[in-house]
Amino acid sequence: MPLYEHVMIARQDLSNTQAEGLIEHFGAVLSDNGGSLVDSEYWGVKTMAYKINKNRKGHYAFLRTDAPAPAIQEMERLMRLHDDVMRVLTIKMDEHKEGPSVQMQKRDERDSRRERR
């Protein structure tokens, strides 16, 4: 099955447990449609570069999925209809990278950065 990565931004006035509940909800939508949620990360509340629906901050979540295209389309459709989800970005991947995403790595663990002069 194809591999996908999703980044979701939820409203800032949700609690942390409600934002993590959204991840579980959309993971259940995938499993109901024949896919699976490989990994998920909750990145926390972050400040956005510009306002979205009068919100300056949002709860960020990162999902790695392994699902057929119809399951992804259904999940994206439900995300667009959900009042708490402001933005979603979905990218098709050739393979999932092992370990945590760049957002969750500590600064000294990132080996791809150049030395500062």
Side-chain angles (χ1 to χ4, degrees), residues 50-113:
Y50 55 91
K51 286 184 179 180
I52 299 174
N53 299 336
K54 300 181 182 177
N55 291 308
R56 282 250 179 238
K57 295 182 178 185
H59 291 272
Y60 281 71
F62 177 70
L63 310 168
R64 289 184 178 129
T65 61
D66 183 9
I72 298 297
Q73 290 170 351
E74 178 65 14
M75 184 184 74
E76 285 181 334
R77 184 184 75 81
L78 292 174
M79 284 182 171
R80 283 193 304 267
L81 293 174
H82 204 284
D83 291 336
D84 294 333
V85 178
M86 294 189 297
R87 290 284 191 275
V88 177
L89 174 69
T90 301
I91 300 173
K92 186 174 181 180
M93 304 297 292
D94 292 330
E95 62 182 73
H96 288 305
K97 294 187 176 157
E98 295 297 321
S101 64
V102 175
Q103 278 288 353
M104 297 300 285
Q105 292 175 0
K106 293 181 182 176
R107 191 172 296 267
D108 55 342
E109 291 177 2
R110 297 181 193 159
D111 56 351
S112 62
R113 290 186 66 172

Side-chain angles (χ1 to χ4, degrees), residues 12-56:
Q12 67 183 0
D13 55 346
L14 296 176
S15 69
N16 291 348
T17 55
Q18 288 174 321
E20 290 173 354
L22 283 175
I23 296 171
E24 294 172 8
H25 170 69
F26 292 120
V29 168
L30 278 178
S31 62
D32 291 344
N33 290 302
S36 65
L37 183 65
V38 175
D39 186 26
S40 66
E41 295 176 358
Y42 173 66
W43 290 347
V45 178
K46 297 193 175 286
T47 304
M48 296 183 280
Y50 55 91
K51 286 184 179 180
I52 299 174
N53 299 336
K54 300 181 182 177
N55 291 308
R56 282 250 179 238

